[in-house]
């Protein structure tokens, strides 16, 4: 962007304008943002670099794209304030880095190396840290080893600072016990449903006056929804895919590109558990063979999880010779004898044997045709996006797009209930609700790679049809409301008798008993309000009447059982809650500490640099 600006400026003959342009572009260089713009701000003397901000923005865009399952543009990110979220996060971490710097808190090279060796992405086929793999992984992420290691060192220093601030913070034991006492309480109760069958007689047909009064009081219930009459032009990959025929060279290239998927060597799903010496590995294998322990138990005893020892799916070429020989000697799931590796002796467990797979081009040709055609169709549609934007900017109407381009013109009476056609796309639905009469149509993308532009022609507001046109609907709604009213009156009468000691069956009700129900359980065929109400009652014999859509439910509390804090389940819960609560308490304290640190050192941001980075991401 800056390079283009300078190139344009160099062609301007008026020196005064040239000087103004050079001054205005000071700080911009040839690298997209320029060699002179290095930071977007700082906390104290610790800078927030352009690279950190760019990385943070890209990570945020990638995260939102995965979460929403559709591309998120930089324009959308700015509109929703995602860039602000990134800057706040960077400011917080930078403040802690500055505090660690002021305190001269750091870690040595040995600790940095130890942490690098623990990153699976930096490990070679042998399962150990590999320098070439490390540098290749960083190169793919556009990172330099020196910068990455500096970030790792700063992160480690922040963790030391966090441990110093939050170490020893634990949740009060009574809090966990009180919470489990609430959640673990059990209740027994009886309940009976009150429906129209209990009424002595059906509802009398409503008079015209009753219907009119009900119609007047409940008019919004019968209103038609707001309708937005929208014209649009759109193009999706599905509209083009049938006219696309990939050539054989393209199909063969795609087959070669995915050859690793179609043609795979014999593989194993493997886990690796290392030992201090050969004797320990041999003793462990003997204990497994004798049934005295299991591989899972050995993993747990070492303080590890199965994820920690998982090596994933491997082929013979992925493993060193002796390891490959031992693992691939097993033709079914099992555990190898101890194997000597560069990290010491280990036992390998094979969880699955995956046979070699060879799929010829002819076998997958039809699938490749469909995939290539879809891909070409998506690219063809996106290639149209700039053309459509230019046409709209030049004054073209949506109708003209439908006749002069491959886009299809259409009209829709859109409401929030509409789901057919283009209304089935969330992107369109969002745009349809934001459109205003007189808005200039803009090209937008659809989640499947399509594009569209829309114009609001008219808004038809909600309307209440005349009573004569919806008389049957109003009569049905009146009848339901009248039934509910009569059942409510009956329920109050029955509740009073239940409170006086009359049993449910003596009242003509079919009662159901729920024994030792938990607060979070689900009772099939009942509304959530039943359990909520049962746990709101204070003592045995208390009753309540619960309104439902069709009538009411009468409930009587029979017994309250306190939570058993000595049970294994309770102890596990209390342990986990204490750990989680302590972690949450530590996080809150550390957040407050971070805010105080940031306020003490001071945050400064360079809005010009921020705008330049944001523009470069578009």
């Amino acid at each position: 962007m800056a390079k283009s600006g300078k190139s344009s400026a160099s062609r301007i003959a008026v020196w005064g304008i040239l000087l103004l342009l050079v001054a205005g572009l000071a700080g911009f260089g040839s690298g997209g943002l320029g060699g002179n713009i290095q930071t977007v701000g700082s906390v104290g003397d610790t800078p927030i670099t352009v690279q950190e901000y760019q990385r943070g923005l890209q990570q945020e865009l990638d995260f939102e794209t995965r979460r929403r399952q559709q591309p998120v543009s930089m324009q959308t990110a700015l509109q929703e304030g995602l860039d602000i979220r990134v800057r706040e996060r960077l400011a917080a971490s930078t403040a802690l880095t500055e505090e660690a710097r002021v305190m001269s808190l750091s870690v040595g090279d040995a600790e940095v190396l130890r942490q690098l060796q623990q990153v699976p992405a930096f490990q070679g086929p042998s399962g150990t840290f590999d320098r070439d793999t490390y540098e290749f992984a960083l190169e793919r992420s556009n990172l330099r080893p020196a910068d990455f290691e500096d970030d790792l060192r700063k992160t480690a220093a922040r963790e030391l600072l966090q441990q110093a601030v939050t170490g020893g913070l634990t949740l009060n034991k009574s809090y966990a016990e009180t919470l489990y006492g609430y959640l673990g309480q059990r209740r027994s109760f009886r309940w009976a449903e009150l429906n129209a069958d209990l009424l002595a007689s059906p509802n009398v047909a409503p008079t015209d006056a009753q219907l009119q009064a009900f119609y007047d009081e409940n008019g919004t219930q019968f209103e038609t929804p707001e309708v937005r009459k929208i014209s649009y032009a759109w193009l999706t990959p599905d509209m083009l895919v049938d006219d696309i025929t990939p050539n054989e060279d393209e199909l063969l290239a795609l087959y070669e590109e995915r050859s690793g998927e179609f043609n795979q060597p014999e593989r194993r799903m493997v886990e690796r558990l290392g030992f201090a010496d050969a004797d320990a590995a041999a003793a462990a294998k003997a204990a497994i063979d004798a049934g005295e322990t299991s591989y899972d138990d050995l993993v747990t005893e070492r303080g590890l999880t199965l994820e920690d020892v998982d090596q994933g799916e491997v082929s013979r070429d992925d493993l060193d010779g002796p390891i490959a020989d031992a693992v691939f000697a097993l033709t079914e799931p099992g555990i190898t004898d101890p194997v000597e590796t560069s990290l010491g002796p280990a036992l390998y467990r094979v969880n699955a044997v995956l046979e070699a797979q060879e799929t010829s081009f002819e076998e997958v040709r039809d699938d490749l045709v469909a995939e290539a055609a879809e891909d070409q169709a998506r690219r063809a549609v996106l290639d149209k996006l700039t053309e459509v934007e230019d046409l709209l900017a030049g004054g073209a109407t949506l109708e003209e797009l439908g006749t002069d381009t491959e886009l299809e013109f259409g009209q829709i009476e859109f409401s929030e209930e509409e789901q057919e056609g283009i209304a089935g796309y969330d992107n369109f639905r969002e745009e349809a609700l934001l459109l205003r009469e007189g808005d200039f149509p803009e090209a937008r993308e659809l989640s499947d790679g399509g594009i569209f532009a829309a114009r609001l022609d008219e808004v038809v507001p909600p309307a209440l049809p005349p009573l004569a046109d919806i008389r049957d609907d109003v009569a049905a709604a009146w009848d339901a409301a009248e039934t509910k009213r009569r059942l409510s009156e009956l329920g109050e009468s029955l509740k009073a008798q239940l409170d006086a000691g009359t049993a449910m069956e003596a009242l003509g009700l079919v009662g159901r008993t729920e024994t030792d129900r938990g607060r979070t359980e689900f009772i099939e065929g009942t509304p959530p309000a039943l359990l909520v109400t049962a746990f709101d009652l204070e003592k045995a014999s208390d009753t309540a009447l619960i309104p439902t859509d069709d009538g009411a439910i009468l409930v009587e509390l029979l017994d309250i059982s306190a939570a058993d804090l000595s049970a294994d389940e309770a102890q596990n819960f209390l342990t986990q809650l204490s750990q989680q609560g302590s972690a949450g308490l530590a996080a809150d304290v550390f957040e407050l500490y971070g805010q105080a640190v940031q306020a003490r050192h001071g945050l400064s941001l360079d809005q010009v640099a921020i705008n330049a980075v944001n523009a470069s991401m578009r």
Side-chain angles (χ1 to χ4, degrees), residues 36 67 72 99 110 118 160 200 240 242 293 353 419 435 438 520 532 543 555 588 618:
N36 292 330
R67 185 177 70 83
V72 177
E99 181 76 352
Q118 292 179 342
L160 286 174
L240 301 179
D242 290 340
T293 187
V353 174
Q419 295 284 346
L435 287 174
T520 59
V532 172
T543 64
V555 59
D588 291 341
R618 292 178 185 270

Side-chain angles (χ1 to χ4, degrees), residues 519-574:
R519 191 181 296 271
T520 59
E521 291 185 19
F522 171 75
I523 303 177
E524 187 175 357
T526 68
L530 174 58
L531 264 177
V532 172
T533 303
F535 275 86
D536 283 342
L537 297 175
E538 296 182 357
K539 62 183 186 301
S541 77
D542 280 359
T543 64
L545 187 66
I546 307 168
T548 65
D549 292 339
D550 301 324
I553 291 177
L554 190 59
V555 59
E556 178 184 17
L557 184 61
L558 302 178
D559 182 56
I560 299 175
S561 300
D564 182 5
L565 296 179
S566 64
D568 291 342
E569 178 185 359
Q571 290 300 310
N572 291 335
F573 176 89
L574 293 174

Side-chain angles (χ1 to χ4, degrees), residues 22 45 119 153 161-162 303 334 355 489 518 556 574 595 614:
V22 171
D45 293 334
V119 180
R153 196 184 305 275
L161 183 59
Q162 179 174 1
E355 300 297 336
E489 291 180 353
E556 178 184 17
L574 293 174
Q595 292 171 357
N614 291 346

Side-chain angles (χ1 to χ4, degrees), residues 30 33 78 107 160 166 173 210 232 297 342 377 379 427 436 470 522 525 546 607:
S30 61
L33 290 172
L78 294 175
V107 297
L160 286 174
T166 62
K173 182 180 179 181
Q210 287 175 312
Y232 63 91
D297 291 339
S342 58
R379 285 189 275 113
N427 318 62
R436 297 292 179 265
I470 56 172
F522 171 75
I546 307 168
Q607 193 59 50

Side-chain angles (χ1 to χ4, degrees), residues 180-193:
Y180 185 78
Y182 173 83
L183 295 175
Q185 188 184 85
R186 318 289 293 184
R187 295 200 171 195
S188 299
F189 55 91
R190 282 177 62 73
W191 63 277
E193 187 175 7

Side-chain angles (χ1 to χ4, degrees), residues 74-92:
M74 189 60 194
Q75 180 181 359
T76 299
L78 294 175
Q79 290 173 346
E80 297 181 3
L82 301 184
D83 60 316
I84 298 175
R85 183 193 302 174
V86 172
R87 291 198 294 275
E88 289 176 344
R89 191 162 57 238
L90 284 174

